[in-house]
Amino acid sequence: MQLGKLAIFLPLWLLCLSQAHVIGVSPEDQHLYSAKIDEDGNQYWTCLNDSSIKLQLSQINDDICDCPDGSDEPGTNACPDSAIKFYCANQGHFPAYIEQFKLNDGVCDYDICCDGSDEYQLGTCENKCDEIHRQFETYKAEQLQILNKALKKKQHVVDLSQRNRKSLINNLEHLERQVPEKKMKLNKLKIQMEDVELQEDTPDLYDILDEHFANLANRIEAYKRDILKQDEQLQKLEKILEELSKGYNPNYNDHAVKESIHKFQEYISNKEDGVQKDFHDITEFVKKIVENAKEHSINIELTGNGNINNDKSKSKSKSKHYDGVPSLKNMIHYYFNLFAQNFLIKTPETYVSKLSSNQLAPEIDKLEEELEKIEKTITVIKKDLSSDYGPDDILRAYEKLPISNNLGGYYYRVDFLNSIYQNDVLIGVFKEYKEGKLIFANGARCWNGPKRSATVEFICGEGPAIVSVAEPEKCHYNFVIRGEAWCHPVSEQELLQSFEIDYNLL
Ligand code: MAN
């Protein structure tokens, strides 16, 4: 105000006396207007953006624009294109800068210059800084109270989004842990399947030896018959000789007869009992071998020549080997060897599934399906976790919390990170979060127009709520959603910008 009054009585050039206060310039910038002294001891000043333009001190704020940047007229509106603004000290409130065209125009711009200094020439604007500052303090207190409440609510939202993220991570870890276990199980099943298929394809050893055993039994029977026949004949012969030895006439002194009878008697006294008991049991013995073979039967491979080939038979390569058809003498030995080589060798401890290939196949399919599903879910979760869902992952909190509102005759439903509907028309599916906005695309096609799409912006306030929907272009919608999650701590300067003076109270 004092400046204003001064201005009424003093010529303009006095407003820029050397080292004096230059009107319209902040205290920090006053030094830019200090006088320079030339060789002749005269004071001068140069334009701020062009030091080649020398001016007399009286040319500062003389209402004539001399400098290209308007720096010689900080306190007048003589330079219309100047970017320089007029400084209001606003003692008791906040200093501010006002556009020069608003200077001395008869309007008190209290929203910028609460001290009325913008009208310093007329001096008609009273200093209202005290009242305006009081109003601002009240506004600030109210706003901070609202904001603190909102920030507390925001903290809950942030906590929820972090919990949602954590549960996704837990889910991911749980699934990832299952993969190696399931893969191992699948591998085992596949190996079992191969073994079982091989087993099902290869003949049973018993089946192969069955023929040999039948052959053995037949041969034994035939030899038995031969032996019994020979035994019968032998007994007949023995009977003849016995009768001869009893009925011959020793007086004939036939040396050959005497000698033969003597040998026969010797033969009889040394003779063992007819056919051995073991011989009669031989059929029983073969039967037992066959039963044993059935019990311990295993699967083996046949070589091209029909011989049995497995690792066990290889390991017995030192055992006695018989070629061709065995004789009665070695027959038992032959067949026992064959049996022992193939049945009586302990098999290595290998696991062969009790399940058939028909039972294993669906188990393998099921496990493969499970694994595929798990791996797909892992990919989806990883993509989700690496997606940008806003600062503090905030949108994750609203993942399953759609909001709706009736606006402009339509019912809108916004399902964050999913879709937006206008009544039952799809406006779009979530595409991305970009530069603080949600982008939805690929909605239902408009009649004779593009597919519907939308952009969602957020503002701080009570919510979450859809506060407005606009359709600036045909079928592209702009949504504004208000919510505490989009509130931030504010500075005094920010509050000052949103502050509005109640002129009724001035
Ligand atoms: C419906 C609504 C409108 C849209 C027109 C286009 O009426 O989806 O928002 O502009 O279709 O035909």
Side-chain angles (χ1 to χ4, degrees):
M1 271 314 291
Q2 277 162 349
L3 255 175
K5 277 179 186 157
L6 253 181
I8 295 166
F9 304 111
L10 295 175
L12 279 173
W13 63 268
L14 278 179
L15 294 173
C16 56
L17 280 173
S18 167
Q19 303 299 323
H21 176 82
V22 177
I23 194 163
V25 177
S26 70
E28 317 72 90
D29 289 342
Q30 286 292 332
H31 68 279
L32 299 173
Y33 289 86
S34 301
K36 296 172 185 171
I37 315 281
D38 66 13
E39 308 92 53
D40 305 328
N42 299 320
Q43 290 189 329
Y44 72 96
W45 181 79
T46 56
C47 295
L48 293 184
N49 75 331
D50 190 344
S51 56
S52 66
I53 306 174
K54 279 185 171 182
L55 299 177
Q56 290 180 5
L57 298 184
S58 59
Q59 287 178 282
I60 298 173
N61 279 335
D62 66 348
D63 217 8
I64 299 167
C65 196
D66 299 300
C67 295
D69 61 349
S71 54
D72 61 314
E73 296 298 316
T76 74
N77 55 11
C79 302
D81 299 326
S82 167
I84 289 172
K85 288 184 176 178
F86 180 88
Y87 172 80
C88 311
N90 292 343
Q91 286 282 331
H93 191 48
F94 301 97
Y97 288 89
I98 191 167
E99 295 95 331
Q100 288 177 330
F101 72 88
K102 292 181 179 171
L103 294 177
N104 303 311
D105 62 351
V107 178
C108 303
D109 292 294
Y110 285 127
D111 56 333
I112 305 170
C113 297
C114 62
D115 58 2
S117 61
D118 58 309
E119 298 300 317
Y120 68 88
Q121 281 185 352
L122 303 171
T124 48
C125 298
E126 236 184 283
N127 186 332
K128 301 273 187 188
C129 283
D130 286 350
E131 171 56 21
I132 289 173
H133 192 68
R134 195 192 55 74
Q135 282 188 23
F136 172 72
E137 285 297 331
T138 310
Y139 169 76
K140 186 172 116 181
E142 282 167 5
Q143 288 304 304
L144 289 180
Q145 200 184 10
I146 294 169
L147 190 65
N148 286 339
K149 215 171 133 194
L151 289 177
K152 269 187 194 145
K153 200 166 168 197
K154 178 181 178 176
Q155 192 52 51
H156 291 302
V157 180
V158 172
D159 290 348
L160 177 60
S161 62
Q162 276 170 5
R163 278 203 302 279
N164 285 352
R165 171 173 264 274
K166 187 90 194 68
S167 102
L168 262 188
I169 291 171
N170 287 346
N171 197 5
L172 176 68
E173 286 171 354
H174 172 71
L175 290 172
E176 280 180 333
R177 269 198 304 274
Q178 287 185 31
V179 172
E181 196 186 300
K182 288 206 185 278
K183 275 191 176 164
M184 221 151 76
K185 198 171 165 195
L186 183 65
N187 267 349
K188 265 189 188 170
L189 282 177
K190 281 184 174 172
I191 290 168
Q192 279 177 34
M193 182 73 163
E194 274 174 24
D195 287 349
V196 166
E197 275 173 350
L198 204 67
Q199 204 179 26
E200 287 171 352
D201 286 349
T202 52
D204 190 275
L205 180 59
Y206 171 75
D207 293 337
I208 299 160
L209 286 186
D210 189 34
E211 203 186 317
H212 292 274
F213 281 124
N215 193 9
L216 168 66
N218 286 342
R219 278 174 187 277
I220 286 172
E221 278 308 308
Y223 281 124
K224 252 174 80 179
R225 272 196 308 279
D226 279 357
I227 287 168
L228 289 173
K229 205 170 159 191
Q230 283 169 19
D231 192 46
E232 209 176 283
Q233 282 169 346
L234 190 64
Q235 278 178 33
K236 268 186 195 166
L237 209 58
E238 280 176 3
K239 187 121 183 103
I240 293 169
L241 282 173
E242 194 187 338
E243 277 167 14
L244 181 69
S245 68
K246 282 179 188 162
Y248 87 104
N249 187 347
N251 300 324
Y252 287 162
N253 263 340
D254 186 331
H255 183 72
V257 171
K258 272 187 175 172
E259 175 83 10
S260 296
I261 286 178
H262 180 72
K263 280 191 176 162
F264 170 70
Q265 283 165 340
E266 238 175 58
Y267 158 79
I268 288 296
S269 47
N270 286 310
K271 182 191 162 208
E272 285 171 15
D273 283 348
V275 178
Q276 296 281 315
K277 181 177 176 290
D278 282 356
F279 177 80
H280 291 288
D281 289 347
I282 191 106
T283 323
E284 271 311 297
F285 178 64
V286 172
K287 239 188 192 173
K288 268 185 191 150
I289 291 178
V290 172
E291 273 161 19
N292 236 331
K294 263 188 198 169
E295 267 173 39
H296 297 91
S297 185
I298 53 167
N299 290 96
I300 43 79
E301 276 175 54
L302 280 182
T303 58
N305 57 17
N307 286 336
I308 296 159
N309 179 22
N310 65 0
D311 287 337
K312 294 165 277 164
S313 58
K314 274 178 212 151
S315 69
K316 285 290 280 183
S317 58
K318 277 187 183 163
S319 65
K320 189 166 180 188
H321 186 74
Y322 297 95
D323 290 319
V325 179
S327 64
L328 178 64
K329 202 172 129 207
N330 63 21
M331 183 164 44
I332 299 297
H333 204 162
Y334 168 83
Y335 282 105
F336 179 77
N337 244 3
L338 193 59
F339 171 76
Q341 280 173 22
N342 294 296
F343 293 97
L344 301 184
I345 294 151
K346 202 165 171 2
T347 55
E349 291 288 327
T350 52
Y351 174 72
V352 180
S353 175
K354 290 196 176 84
L355 302 175
S356 70
S357 56
N358 285 345
Q359 289 166 311
L360 282 170
E363 261 199 66
I364 289 174
D365 288 350
K366 200 176 135 216
L367 205 56
E368 273 176 341
E369 260 174 42
E370 268 175 42
L371 254 171
E372 198 185 328
K373 211 171 141 196
I374 289 175
E375 276 166 350
K376 265 189 192 156
T377 316
I378 287 175
T379 312
V380 170
I381 296 179
K382 278 185 173 169
K383 188 169 173 258
D384 190 307
L385 285 171
S386 63
S387 300
D388 183 2
Y389 287 161
D392 292 322
D393 234 8
I394 208 82
L395 291 162
R396 209 175 280 289
Y398 295 106
E399 226 164 355
K400 285 176 190 118
L401 297 172
I403 54 171
S404 57
N405 202 359
N406 281 306
L407 290 165
Y410 292 108
Y411 172 76
Y412 290 99
R413 184 177 193 271
V414 176
D415 193 350
F416 299 81
L417 311 181
N418 193 359
S419 59
I420 297 183
Y421 276 88
Q422 179 194 58
N423 295 344
D424 55 358
V425 175
L426 178 68
I427 294 290
V429 289
F430 172 67
K431 190 177 162 208
E432 60 183 329
Y433 174 83
K434 200 175 168 191
E435 292 158 7
K437 296 176 187 174
L438 287 183
I439 312 293
F440 288 78
N442 266 322
R445 188 174 288 286
C446 271
W447 184 78
N448 240 350
K451 281 185 174 178
R452 286 175 174 81
S453 59
T455 305
V456 179
E457 289 179 45
F458 300 97
I459 56 167
C460 163
E462 207 178 343
I466 306 169
V467 287
S468 72
V469 182
E471 197 180 336
E473 291 166 48
K474 193 178 180 186
C475 297
H476 182 81
Y477 305 80
N478 279 353
F479 286 74
V480 177
I481 289 178
R482 189 183 60 210
E484 291 83 357
W486 292 278
C487 294
H488 306 280
V490 287
S491 67
E492 202 165 47
Q493 277 306 308
E494 284 171 309
L495 281 172
L496 197 56
Q497 273 162 25
S498 59
F499 164 63
E500 284 174 15
I501 299 166
D502 183 350
Y503 288 94
N504 296 322
L505 300 173
L506 293 183

